[in-house]
Amino acid sequence: MKMPELLAPAGNLEKLKFALLYGADAVYLGGTMFGLRANASNFTLEELQEGVSFAHNLHKKVYVTVNIALHTSELKALTEYLKELDKIGVDAIIISDPAIISLVKEHTNLELHLSTQQSTLNYESVKFWKQEGISRIVLGREATKEEIIEIKKHVDIEIECFIHGAMCASYSGRCVLSNFLTARDSNRGGCSQICRWDFNLLDKDRTPLIGEKPFTFCTKDLSLLAYIPDMIEMGITSFKIEGRMRSIYYIATVVDIYRKVIDEYVQQKESYEYNKEYEKVLTNCANRDSVPQFFNHNEGVECQYYNGRIEVSNQDFLGLVLEYKDGYAVIEERNYFKVGDTVEFFGPSVNTFQITIEEIIDEFGEQISVVRHPKQIVKVKVGKPLYPNDFMRIKK
């Protein structure tokens, strides 16, 4: 059985490092031009060089998004940018505009992956793109299990599928709502997420329909955690997590959970049992509900919020471990915690464990009972060793 690639988002250099340290095999990211996450920090060429070096030293990969809808005026600058990416040694670029294929072939040796922006959902399209020089297809998030199996049966090519994160209310790459209502083009990196707004709902005579809450057509998030064994057996090459705008805590948590499920199934297939506790961890670190969406044909009303919803900012992330010495963890605080709280620690080199906080010492060596100042440095008495970049979270 071939181990699938776990592919994580990296909105900046810090997130790249956390994603790889917590178990991702590769990351995808955007440069300062030609990508679809204009509001992410993104990478300068110097930062990209550092990120590629960091990843390659761990024998892991970096893919760069070059997937906006291009205008003629951008082709010259794009060509120079592609040459720079080739020099830096990125492992592939993710494209949607076919014009880039010929530019890459003429000027670089870059590997080409096709973005989900092309909404590829059938094997004839996959055949076409393979003939054009694409080595991997990122399928549209609307693909069902049966459609993926058919594609794999008819075309020998790498297939990448989204397994977790936000969904579009439109086919990816086809939405014009943001451009129409705010003059921010979704297909050029400026999506203003119109689908998450609240709307007044009118009948055919334009009379307001009054409900308990404003009307929305916001989608719930995607989670295919329970289907990971099926997807491994289907031979999918890469499992992709959405979220370049998300926090380091979110990225580390989601990567850590999917890493566990993938490894547990591959290493003990005959005795594998799905751990429902992992679902709780994923639910606690997000601010929207998540469902399997199209994969299992369950794309009905339960997959969207039609009558409003509440998105509460996550408060689970309590602190980041900076150091461990003499039984105490040095922690940079991120959310309020106090003596008597039951908390949990997790990280790439420790088995997740919990403690009840008995003692907190501030930066002046004084015992305190509450930590409430953003990024305050404190010591917490912990009975087991920890390492820099481990996390402390609420135990629910």
Side-chain angles (χ1 to χ4, degrees):
M1 181 188 304
K2 187 174 181 180
M3 179 74 79
E5 174 186 85
L6 181 57
L7 176 57
N12 57 34
L13 195 55
E14 181 186 35
K15 294 174 185 178
L16 176 148
K17 293 178 179 180
F18 272 96
L20 295 176
L21 290 173
Y22 272 77
D25 301 301
V27 293
Y28 66 99
L29 54 88
T32 54
M33 302 182 291
F34 308 117
L36 281 179
R37 287 294 181 270
N39 293 324
S41 299
N42 293 321
F43 286 70
T44 64
L45 292 176
E46 292 76 16
E47 290 170 332
L48 183 54
Q49 179 67 74
E50 182 179 346
V52 169
S53 296
F54 183 88
H56 287 178
N57 284 336
L58 296 173
H59 306 290
K60 299 186 177 188
K61 296 182 177 181
V62 174
Y63 309 138
V64 177
T65 57
V66 190
N67 56 348
I68 66 168
L70 289 162
H71 289 274
T72 299
S73 60
E74 296 168 317
L75 292 178
K76 183 177 180 181
L78 172 64
T79 301
E80 296 305 312
Y81 181 62
L82 294 173
K83 291 178 181 178
E84 290 295 329
L85 296 182
D86 197 18
K87 288 179 186 176
I88 289 170
V90 304
D91 296 280
I93 62 171
I94 305 169
I95 71 164
S96 61
D97 194 319
I100 299 178
I101 297 175
S102 58
L103 292 176
V104 164
K105 288 180 178 178
E106 183 178 354
H107 299 286
T108 78
N109 293 305
L110 291 167
E111 183 175 328
L112 292 166
H113 296 177
L114 188 70
S115 172
T116 191
Q117 297 301 115
Q118 273 291 344
S119 298
T120 308
L121 297 169
N122 64 80
Y123 64 80
E124 290 293 351
S125 291
V126 173
K127 283 182 181 178
F128 169 81
W129 289 113
K130 181 180 180 180
Q131 291 166 0
E132 292 299 305
I134 298 294
S135 64
R136 178 185 293 188
I137 303 288
V138 187
L139 292 182
R141 278 169 272 196
E142 300 78 21
T144 65
K145 176 181 178 180
E146 291 76 16
E147 288 171 331
I148 299 170
I149 291 171
E150 280 296 300
I151 289 170
K152 288 290 298 177
K153 184 169 69 175
H154 285 86
V155 191
D156 182 17
I157 193 172
E158 292 187 356
I159 295 296
E160 181 176 305
C161 293
F162 278 93
I163 57 170
H164 199 89
M167 294 284 290
C168 289
S170 172
Y171 280 97
S172 299
R174 304 293 188 265
C175 183
V176 296
L177 283 173
S178 179
N179 203 348
F180 182 75
L181 294 174
T182 68
R184 289 170 51 183
D185 195 337
S186 303
N187 301 305
R188 289 181 58 79
C191 181
S192 53
Q193 298 191 333
I194 302 298
C195 56
R196 304 206 187 280
W197 291 12
D198 293 336
F199 292 89
N200 294 321
L201 189 61
L202 310 179
D203 67 13
K204 63 180 180 179
D205 299 318
R206 301 188 64 80
T207 301
L209 298 175
I210 306 300
E212 294 178 5
K213 300 176 182 177
F215 173 77
T216 73
F217 54 99
C218 171
T219 58
K220 295 178 181 178
D221 283 359
L222 168 71
S223 178
L224 291 176
L225 189 70
Y227 294 89
I228 291 300
D230 292 336
M231 299 179 79
I232 292 173
E233 294 295 334
M234 289 160 62
I236 295 168
T237 305
S238 183
F239 296 166
K240 189 170 193 172
I241 297 166
E242 183 275 339
R244 278 186 277 163
M245 305 285 288
R246 306 273 193 161
S247 69
I248 57 170
Y249 172 72
Y250 177 91
I251 291 169
T253 301
V254 175
V255 169
D256 180 63
I257 292 298
Y258 277 95
R259 179 80 275 156
K260 284 183 168 70
V261 171
I262 292 168
D263 291 350
E264 287 171 9
Y265 181 74
V266 172
Q267 293 168 9
Q268 48 187 321
K269 178 180 174 180
E270 300 305 320
S271 59
Y272 173 79
E273 291 185 11
Y274 180 61
N275 189 339
K276 290 283 288 185
E277 290 298 313
Y278 292 158
E279 283 186 11
K280 295 179 182 178
V281 175
L282 292 183
T283 298
N284 290 340
C285 80
N287 60 358
R288 284 188 297 270
D289 296 330
S290 58
V291 292
Q293 297 284 356
F294 293 86
F295 186 83
N296 64 353
H297 300 277
N298 193 26
E299 61 270 18
V301 295
E302 64 274 14
C303 292
Q304 293 190 227
Y305 297 101
Y306 289 104
N307 196 26
R309 84 279 183 199
I310 298 174
E311 293 187 9
V312 179
S313 296
N314 177 272
Q315 303 295 317
D316 284 5
F317 177 19
L318 299 180
L320 182 67
V321 175
L322 304 180
E323 185 184 4
Y324 181 85
K325 187 177 181 180
D326 299 329
Y328 287 84
V330 179
I331 292 174
E332 182 182 79
E333 184 263 4
R334 295 301 175 90
N335 274 301
Y336 168 99
F337 62 90
K338 65 185 186 304
V339 171
D341 284 348
T342 299
V343 301
E344 192 169 68
F345 290 94
F346 75 102
S349 300
V350 299
N351 292 323
T352 302
F353 67 93
Q354 68 183 62
I355 67 164
T356 298
I357 297 176
E358 298 177 351
E359 183 181 5
I360 304 173
I361 299 174
D362 69 11
E363 59 267 48
F364 306 109
E366 301 291 330
Q367 288 199 3
I368 57 176
S369 59
V370 178
V371 184
R372 55 166 59 95
H373 304 298
K375 295 198 173 182
Q376 182 178 359
I377 307 298
V378 299
K379 291 182 179 180
V380 174
K381 190 175 183 180
V382 181
K384 296 182 180 181
L386 291 165
Y387 303 91
N389 298 322
D390 289 345
F391 287 91
M392 183 174 81
R393 65 187 173 203
I394 294 171
K395 173 59 181 175
K396 293 186 177 180

